[in-house]
Amino acid sequence: MMRFLHPTWLVALCLSLSLFTIASTADEPFRPEAGTFPALDQAHSYRGELVFVDHANRRGSIRVQGSGMFFRNDPHPFAMLPYGIVRYHDAPADLRDIPLGTVLHVRAFLPPDPTISAVPVLPVNNKSKDANHNRGTGIAPAENHVLLLEDEPSHCQREGLVWKLKEVDLKNSEGMIVARREPKEGSDENATEESMTFDAATRIWRGRECLLVEDLISEGTWPTSGKKSLDGQTVLLGITWKPTPDGVFTRFHISDIWLDDEAMQRAARKQTEMHKAFIRSRWMPAWIDAVEYGKFGRAKVTATLFGGMDESLYADFKKDAPAMMNAVEQTLKHTHGAYGPAHMASRGSILEVTQTTGEVPLGSSGIQIHFETDLIIEGIRPGRVVRVRPTNWPKVQLPREEYLNNGSNMEERFPTPAIFPKY
């Protein structure tokens, strides 16, 4: 007797086969080389919910989206590359700025050096392994060292995309929105409609206003109850995940709606100011291109500043300006100092600042500084990562978890990956 699949499982099977086809035709995994910024188009892309953050070590875990029941997907550890960029609200950010539950877009590579990876090193083909009984839909890609981590509005702004709202269905200040992510100019025939939830806590931004769902109801923009067409209204969305009733495999939630450009620009400006203050207190990350050693501890150092920061930070690196340079680990944690980053940092002055011509790869600022010091420290060598502080930035003491005594103790360098699941 012929047996028929339940419609729900038939949909899941089709999604699994589709994802298997995509995975089987994907580019070969790529492992970055030390001293080289990898091309973004060589990265593996995936999307998921931020579920854990270890901000001091620039790592965390993401519940990766795939076919099947999203809530059953184990959190997947990731680590930021030292030059990896975090974007939140279309602005530079640190991992500590992003709320848990936020849905993020990830562009990542294999670990550059598996022996010092701050997270588990997985088999190269791990993204094509079965997960949760779904064929070919692995949810733990070996590409777990991240070049670019961005929330939904950041991703849309970078790619020139928007969300076009088709319909709202409302009851008791909560409900569903049907929308499509499409190019800002024109349309995409391949774009699919997505149904997402919202509730009374969803923030709606318009110009300088922060509205509630009830405000849109009272002004007649949304109905008190029932469905209403939104005629393709163009917005940007903040997307999260929360437990979903009705046995739905995957359904995301809208945390924020930006109704116009002014509202999005204000959110970006606020986040930018937060990040500027953060970098000034933790110093600008860079890596060493070359060191010309002199006598009695003197040296001239050439370093490339990492990218993704606000332009005003780079403007503080000026010729003849005094500066400090300190060695850091791949996690950007300061080393060589029992009392914070300034304890053993090399002091000197910036001899010259140069700007690379042509296209600058993501992760690099394209700015090189030439720094001279009369006391070079061990951690400042070609290929190593450092942080640099123009002396007009504040000199503050960092919390203990953000610096190391000397980096010789591996458990101090990376509190062990034992906190993550075994694979």
Side-chain angles (χ1 to χ4, degrees):
M1 182 174 66
M2 184 178 293
R3 296 179 182 272
F4 293 94
L5 288 173
H6 188 278
T8 301
W9 291 106
L10 183 60
V11 170
L13 177 60
C14 292
L15 286 170
S16 297
L17 291 173
S18 173
L19 285 172
F20 176 76
T21 301
I22 293 171
S24 64
T25 58
D27 294 338
E28 290 295 317
F30 181 80
R31 193 183 304 278
E33 297 180 0
T36 302
F37 296 102
L40 183 63
D41 59 10
Q42 292 179 297
H44 176 56
S45 303
Y46 48 99
R47 183 188 188 213
E49 174 206 5
L50 184 67
V51 295
F52 167 76
V53 167
D54 176 8
H55 68 277
N57 292 289
R58 279 172 53 89
R59 64 183 177 180
S61 292
I62 282 180
R63 194 185 324 280
V64 178
Q65 181 183 0
S67 69
M69 299 180 183
F70 184 71
F71 69 89
R72 292 180 61 183
N73 293 351
D74 293 330
H76 173 55
F78 71 89
M80 297 301 302
L81 290 163
Y83 47 84
I85 292 173
V86 180
R87 300 280 295 175
Y88 182 59
H89 289 178
D90 195 32
D94 184 72
L95 282 177
R96 72 189 71 205
D97 300 332
I98 305 179
L100 297 181
T102 302
V103 172
L104 299 172
H105 296 261
V106 185
R107 305 294 289 272
F109 301 98
L110 298 177
D113 183 353
T115 62
I116 60 170
S117 175
V119 293
V121 177
L122 307 179
V124 172
N125 64 340
N126 215 59
K127 63 175 173 285
S128 62
K129 290 185 176 181
D130 297 351
N132 292 343
H133 309 290
N134 295 309
R135 298 290 182 184
T137 58
I139 52 171
E143 293 88 346
N144 58 9
H145 279 60
V146 178
L147 173 61
L148 179 62
L149 188 71
E150 54 188 353
D151 69 341
E152 185 65 25
S154 302
H155 173 75
C156 286
Q157 294 282 69
R158 184 177 58 82
E159 295 282 351
L161 303 171
V162 292
W163 283 92
K164 296 181 180 179
L165 307 184
K166 179 182 177 182
E167 182 182 79
V168 61
D169 188 358
L170 187 63
K171 183 179 180 180
N172 297 329
S173 292
E174 62 182 33
M176 301 275 292
I177 282 180
V178 179
R180 291 160 57 104
R181 191 201 290 122
E182 294 189 285
K184 189 172 184 178
E185 303 297 334
S187 60
D188 181 1
E189 294 181 357
N190 296 320
T192 58
E193 291 183 355
E194 188 167 346
S195 296
M196 291 173 279
T197 58
F198 67 89
D199 57 26
T202 296
R203 297 173 292 262
I204 302 164
W205 305 90
R206 183 173 61 193
R208 298 184 178 185
E209 298 178 292
C210 181
L211 307 175
L212 302 174
V213 170
E214 62 188 43
D215 296 321
L216 295 186
I217 294 172
S218 63
E219 66 183 29
T221 305
W222 284 7
T224 304
S225 183
K227 296 182 179 181
K228 181 179 180 179
S229 172
L230 298 179
D231 298 322
Q233 181 182 5
T234 298
V235 300
L236 289 170
L237 299 178
I239 297 178
T240 62
W241 183 83
K242 58 189 298 186
T244 306
D246 306 325
V248 176
F249 280 12
T250 303
R251 177 181 289 155
F252 291 122
H253 181 77
I254 298 172
S255 61
D256 297 85
I257 304 174
W258 288 275
L259 297 175
D260 53 38
D261 289 341
E262 182 185 358
M264 189 72 253
Q265 290 166 5
R266 289 179 65 83
R269 180 178 176 182
K270 178 181 178 181
Q271 175 56 42
T272 297
E273 292 301 325
M274 287 179 59
H275 189 255
K276 285 163 58 177
F278 172 76
I279 291 297
R280 287 191 180 112
S281 64
R282 268 69 175 185
W283 307 12
M284 174 71 71
W287 68 27
I288 304 300
D289 298 302
V291 178
E292 180 184 337
Y293 295 100
K295 295 181 179 181
F296 308 111
R298 296 195 71 88
K300 294 180 180 179
V301 180
T302 302
T304 297
L305 306 182
F306 291 164
M309 316 286 178
D310 187 72
E311 290 299 324
S312 64
L313 295 174
Y314 299 118
D316 287 334
F317 290 84
K318 299 175 181 178
K319 183 178 179 180
D320 298 327
M324 301 175 70
M325 180 178 288
N326 195 39
V328 300
E329 286 292 341
Q330 295 295 304
T331 60
L332 301 186
K333 268 187 166 182
H334 283 275
T335 63
H336 299 81
Y339 302 103
H343 182 211
M344 293 294 290
S346 294
R347 291 163 170 80
S349 62
I350 298 173
L351 302 177
E352 190 178 5
V353 180
T354 58
Q355 175 71 57
T356 302
T357 58
E359 186 175 352
V360 177
L362 192 70
S364 171
S365 68
I367 299 172
Q368 276 191 331
I369 62 168
H370 305 272
F371 170 76
E372 184 173 25
T373 179
D374 60 2
L375 184 61
I376 192 75
I377 62 174
E378 171 62 25
I380 301 178
R381 292 182 177 274
R384 294 289 296 270
V385 182
V386 296
R387 283 189 186 260
V388 192
R389 169 186 170 259
T391 55
N392 64 335
W393 288 5
K395 183 179 176 181
V396 298
Q397 299 302 327
L398 299 187
R400 180 62 187 87
E401 67 274 11
E402 292 189 35
Y403 67 88
L404 311 175
N405 283 328
N406 56 31
S408 62
N409 181 338
M410 281 297 293
E411 291 195 5
E412 186 188 12
R413 289 176 63 201
F414 302 123
T416 69
I419 59 173
F420 295 109
K422 302 299 181 183
Y423 292 93

